[in-house]
Amino acid sequence: MRFSDAVRFLWSEDTKVSRSMFPIFERYTRGADPIIRLVAIEVSEVTANVFFRSTMSAALQLQQITQTEFRYFGTRHNHIENTHTLHTPASMQIMKEIEVSEEVRQQALELIDVAFEYFTDLVNEFLVYIKTHSYQEPFAKVYESERSLTSV
């Protein structure tokens, strides 16, 4: 894929929700209490774990069919996700012992609600993309829009 096509895809309507992730998490974490930052990380991690467990079978089948390793959706990334040092028994015990003020607790709960709503929208964006694009031509709409621009 040409760089211009990749940029066109990244800024297309197909990736609108994906692009909104950074501003959403930045709004909640910039200058926030470290607990809020930890909550943002944990929400992302637990969502990723559910996503990768749900897609692992399909990714492995696709790898076998195409004889191509899908590093992000295959076993390599899943292994990395499941071996973070944050989830060691010692780290988990430390997190259990942290006292949190009611204000920080309410902020964390709001972040959790917003983040899971975002991740639901993100997975729905993925689903729409999968239903409207083929594996053989995953970026066909990018090329179609380019052709229409060159005919002007």
Side-chain angles (χ1 to χ4, degrees):
M1 171 181 274
R2 295 185 333 225
F3 179 74
S4 59
D5 292 331
V7 170
R8 202 173 275 110
F9 169 71
L10 291 173
W11 288 97
S12 71
E13 283 298 308
D14 294 321
T15 62
K16 189 175 180 180
V17 176
S18 304
R19 290 191 316 273
S20 70
M21 182 175 97
F22 180 74
I24 287 171
F25 278 89
E26 185 205 21
R27 186 177 84 211
Y28 282 93
T29 59
R30 182 175 222 167
D33 186 285
I35 297 299
I36 299 300
R37 292 177 182 186
L38 179 61
V39 167
I41 291 167
E42 286 301 300
V43 167
S44 299
E45 292 294 324
V46 74
T47 303
N49 287 339
V50 170
F51 178 80
F52 289 122
R53 269 197 311 266
S54 299
T55 60
M56 179 64 72
S57 176
L60 293 175
Q61 289 176 36
L62 191 56
Q63 283 181 177
Q64 189 173 28
I65 291 168
T66 63
Q67 296 299 302
T68 303
E69 180 186 18
F70 295 98
R71 287 185 250 167
Y72 190 75
F73 293 102
T75 55
R76 182 185 299 183
H77 192 111
N78 190 51
H79 175 72
I80 292 167
E81 286 295 321
N82 290 319
T83 57
H84 288 303
T85 57
L86 187 61
H87 298 130
T88 65
S91 297
M92 298 300 285
Q93 184 59 41
I94 290 169
M95 285 191 282
K96 286 179 187 176
E97 295 171 2
I98 296 173
E99 292 186 30
V100 178
S101 71
E102 185 58 29
E103 179 184 359
V104 170
R105 182 180 176 281
Q106 290 305 316
Q107 291 171 0
L109 291 173
E110 179 182 335
L111 170 58
I112 291 166
D113 288 342
V114 168
F116 281 128
E117 185 176 321
Y118 161 77
F119 282 122
T120 299
D121 292 346
L122 180 65
V123 170
N124 286 331
E125 181 178 76
F126 292 164
L127 181 61
V128 167
Y129 189 84
I130 290 167
K131 287 183 173 184
T132 59
H133 294 76
S134 72
Y135 176 76
Q136 291 76 20
E137 296 183 78
F139 305 107
K141 289 182 180 182
V142 171
Y143 295 115
E144 287 173 17
S145 64
E146 181 181 292
R147 283 194 296 270
S148 66
L149 287 175
T150 57
S151 63
V152 175

